[in-house]
Amino acid sequence: GNDALVFLDLKHNQIGDAGARALADYLQSNVCLCELQIEDNPIVDVSSIDSITNLLERNHVTQKEAFIAALNSINVVPWRRYKLMVVGEARAGKTSTIQALLQQPFNDTWNSTVGASLQQIETSASKQVWAEAKREHVAFTAKFAAQHVLHTLKSSKSSPALAGPMKTDKKPTPSTFGIRDGIRVKEETISSKFDAKLLIKARSERDNMVFSIWDYAGQQVFYTLHHLFLTKNGIYMLVFDMLQFVCTRTKSLKRIKFWLDSIDLHAPNAVVLIVGTFADRVRSSTEKGSINKALSELLKTNRRNILQNTSEDLLFFPADNRSREGTDAIRVALSEAALNQDFVNQEVPFRWIRVLDKILEANQPWLSLSRVMSIANEIGITSAKEIMFMLNLFSEFGALLHFRKSETLKHVVVTDPQWLISQLCKIIRDKKVHGFDKKEYERVGLAEDLKLLTKDAIASHDFLEYLWKDSEVDFLIDLMRQTMLLSDWKFSNR
């Protein structure tokens, strides 16, 4: 039989009493099946029906016990997430490339990205399908626990007694952190979501990864922000315009070199995939070969960790975002590269995943460090050292942001990086593309403050308070100060 089956629909199958007894006998040694639909069958043997019902209930109870045991486990699970950072010049087609990879309709209207745009994506390594991830508050915690149940079922299929907590030869990272006993998952929270559908979903998604796409604006004014968000634990996609390359080779190579140098500065060992857009306009193999030769010369002195386009024997992937030609190869290359990255496969304590889910469940752009520590305490993590180590890892992996250059920064945990980018880009902006509404600032009495900002790059505290409104103003000012985006200037008689 199929020992991994958790749901079976046998309605309208002319199953009689003999078939019902056979099903009951099969369930005696089967620990997986917990939902069986046998309505509209000519079964009259009540004892067989009762036996089947009791055995299905036994399986459900033991599976749920294993699920709760996993939720309360102190062992480790694979991270299975990464950060895809998309860089390149303005108008190179970065956003359109992302839309093509997500199989979204091509947009003829050019909308300039402000600072950076973030999307959460879930992908199946086997199916090579990318889709925007739904933000379900306990998605990761429940998924990991359900996958543990499936693993337990597979290893204990000969016995109706399921194994308890996860067992592993590897210790949590770091192994020295203390553990508080007695913290259990409340029955009415995550564990109440356990059912056969959750197991089925977990089995179909066992090779899935979740990653965040960071689409960085290409305008020069935003370069000052990039050092805040370009990280070593991620994969980079560098997009350039092939048509422009053919017309202005030297200028294009200089721009590509700038981005490669920038990546090398922040992530010298990171994998980079280079995409050449407008493949519908540059179709000649001679032109592509010429571009490839120029890139080859450039990369001799820059870096060697470039994903190769082996099917076309190129150092880059030509793409036509309108027809999506070439995007399948890009998806495959990125997914395969991600699976081989240590940070994607790094194992983290299961309870850290629970803390992250609880943090995101608050659905706030930022939380105070004290609130995060309280959440961690509720899960059973009382060591301040472990909490800070955990936040540092989450920040390195792009799940949230936690800066520690000052006490002001340390006490704020940014749970929505897009919020932070949006706040910073209210003041750091390309005024030709993303200008200010002068009438608005005249109406609130800040016309002179706006003039001071746009003419002399001086921002008054009143202006910043209005600009950021109910945001954490002191945190944002200190962040800009600590990252050299702002310096204090004391005026006399002003």
Side-chain angles (χ1 to χ4, degrees):
N2 189 337
D3 294 306
L5 198 65
V6 295
F7 172 83
L8 183 61
D9 185 352
L10 293 176
K11 297 193 298 289
H12 310 290
N13 267 285
Q14 296 299 310
I15 297 172
D17 290 342
R21 287 191 290 273
L23 285 170
D25 289 342
Y26 169 71
L27 282 168
Q28 290 289 342
S29 59
N30 179 283
V31 296
C32 298
L33 194 64
C34 61
E35 188 169 338
L36 174 64
Q37 295 185 355
I38 53 174
E39 302 90 72
D40 299 313
N41 282 294
I43 302 172
V44 296
D45 185 351
V46 177
S47 62
S48 293
I49 294 295
D50 289 343
S51 180
I52 290 171
T53 301
N54 291 336
L55 290 168
L56 290 173
E57 179 61 21
R58 177 208 66 189
N59 287 356
H60 177 78
V61 170
T62 50
Q63 288 172 17
K64 189 168 184 177
E65 287 174 353
F67 182 77
I68 295 173
L71 292 174
N72 288 293
S73 170
I74 61 171
N75 290 286
V76 294
V77 292
W79 179 241
R80 302 291 289 179
R81 307 185 202 187
Y82 71 98
K83 184 176 174 182
L84 175 62
M85 289 159 280
V86 184
V87 298
E89 293 302 302
R91 295 179 176 267
K94 298 184 296 296
T95 302
S96 294
T97 300
I98 293 168
Q99 290 172 339
L101 289 170
L102 294 173
Q103 297 181 305
Q104 295 174 350
F106 180 80
N107 185 1
D108 279 304
T109 305
W110 177 69
N111 293 312
S112 174
T113 301
V114 180
S117 175
L118 274 64
Q119 294 182 76
Q120 287 287 113
I121 306 299
E122 186 161 10
T123 176
S124 166
S126 59
K127 298 178 182 177
Q128 299 297 346
V129 175
W130 290 12
E132 288 196 62
K134 296 179 181 178
R135 189 167 176 171
E136 299 172 0
H137 295 322
V138 294
F140 292 106
T141 297
K143 181 176 76 171
F144 281 125
Q147 287 174 348
H148 164 63
V149 173
L150 290 172
H151 175 75
T152 306
L153 291 172
K154 185 177 180 181
S155 62
S156 60
K157 58 189 178 183
S158 61
S159 169
L162 287 174
M166 289 183 284
K167 293 180 172 61
T168 177
D169 294 330
K170 297 185 179 181
K171 295 180 180 179
T173 305
S175 59
T176 54
F177 290 139
I179 293 166
R180 191 176 91 188
D181 294 327
I183 302 297
R184 311 297 294 175
V185 174
K186 293 181 180 179
E187 177 70 19
E188 67 272 15
T189 56
I190 302 171
S191 58
S192 64
K193 297 180 180 294
F194 177 79
D195 57 19
K197 292 179 181 178
L198 182 61
L199 290 181
I200 295 169
K201 191 171 187 288
R203 184 168 60 188
S204 67
E205 296 177 351
R206 61 183 177 272
D207 65 342
N208 281 20
M209 290 183 292
V210 172
F211 63 98
S212 53
I213 298 180
W214 292 59
D215 178 9
Y216 293 97
Q219 288 85 3
Q220 192 169 349
V221 69
F222 295 119
Y223 292 177
T224 56
L225 291 176
H226 290 171
H227 73 284
L228 287 174
F229 307 111
L230 296 179
T231 55
K232 62 181 181 180
N233 291 308
I235 295 176
Y236 287 81
M237 184 165 72
L238 169 54
V239 180
F240 74 96
D241 180 341
M242 285 198 295
L243 189 60
Q244 189 176 66
F245 192 105
V246 170
C247 299
T248 57
R249 172 179 300 227
T250 302
K251 187 177 181 181
S252 294
L253 277 172
K254 185 178 179 180
R255 289 172 175 171
I256 292 172
K257 184 179 185 302
F258 166 81
W259 288 109
L260 289 172
D261 287 343
S262 185
I263 295 169
D264 279 340
L265 178 65
H266 297 94
N269 298 314
V271 169
V272 178
L273 182 144
I274 303 176
V275 174
T277 55
F278 296 96
D280 57 323
R281 307 282 296 278
V282 183
R283 306 201 70 87
S284 161
S285 58
T286 302
E287 287 178 317
K288 291 177 185 177
S290 177
I291 293 172
N292 195 67
K293 184 178 179 180
L295 287 177
S296 180
E297 289 297 318
L298 176 65
L299 294 170
K300 282 181 181 178
T301 55
N302 272 68
R303 59 158 41 241
R304 293 177 176 79
N305 205 6
I306 303 291
L307 284 181
Q308 307 287 311
N309 180 356
T310 54
S311 64
E312 298 181 78
D313 194 24
L314 297 172
L315 292 167
F316 68 100
F317 290 75
D320 173 13
N321 294 327
R322 188 182 296 273
S323 68
R324 301 178 192 160
E325 178 186 347
T327 55
D328 286 346
I330 296 171
R331 266 196 306 273
V332 171
L334 288 171
S335 296
E336 289 180 350
L339 285 171
N340 293 321
Q341 301 306 304
D342 290 340
F343 54 83
V344 172
N345 296 300
Q346 179 172 332
E347 293 182 322
V348 299
F350 187 87
R351 58 189 188 162
W352 289 13
I353 302 295
R354 287 180 56 203
V355 171
L356 181 60
D357 275 340
K358 290 289 288 183
I359 289 172
L360 298 180
E361 185 179 347
N363 202 26
Q364 297 294 322
W366 60 271
L367 294 177
S368 66
L369 179 61
S370 60
R371 175 65 185 124
V372 170
M373 295 187 82
S374 176
I375 290 171
N377 290 168
E378 291 171 9
I379 302 300
I381 304 174
T382 57
S383 164
K385 183 179 179 182
E386 180 176 358
I387 293 170
M388 298 307 289
F389 190 94
M390 173 186 68
L391 289 176
N392 183 61
L393 181 137
F394 288 162
S395 189
E396 284 184 3
F397 287 171
L400 48 75
L401 296 171
H402 187 224
F403 305 96
R404 291 192 276 179
K405 288 189 175 182
S406 72
E407 285 300 307
T408 301
L409 298 183
K410 181 180 177 181
H411 289 286
V412 173
V413 178
V414 178
T415 59
D416 182 2
Q418 185 69 71
W419 166 82
L420 178 58
I421 293 167
S422 298
Q423 298 309 312
L424 294 176
C425 288
K426 286 179 179 178
I427 189 167
I428 299 174
R429 58 207 293 174
D430 185 342
K431 61 182 181 182
K432 294 179 181 179
V433 182
H434 317 109
F436 291 95
D437 183 352
K438 291 183 180 180
K439 291 184 178 180
E440 175 189 352
Y441 292 94
E442 289 174 358
R443 189 171 61 252
V444 296
L446 291 172
E448 286 301 314
D449 299 71
L450 176 61
K451 184 178 179 181
L452 197 61
L453 175 67
T454 54
K455 298 292 184 183
D456 301 318
I458 297 173
S460 69
H461 201 281
D462 287 344
F463 187 86
L464 292 177
E465 283 191 336
Y466 176 77
L467 201 64
W468 289 327
K469 294 184 170 62
D470 297 327
S471 300
E472 189 68 12
V473 175
D474 290 340
F475 164 78
L476 293 169
I477 289 176
D478 198 45
L479 176 63
M480 294 187 69
R481 181 188 294 121
Q482 297 294 336
T483 54
M484 297 182 290
L485 295 173
L486 171 151
S487 61
D488 295 304
W489 194 341
K490 299 187 183 297
F491 298 91
S492 58
N493 302 321
R494 291 187 67 178

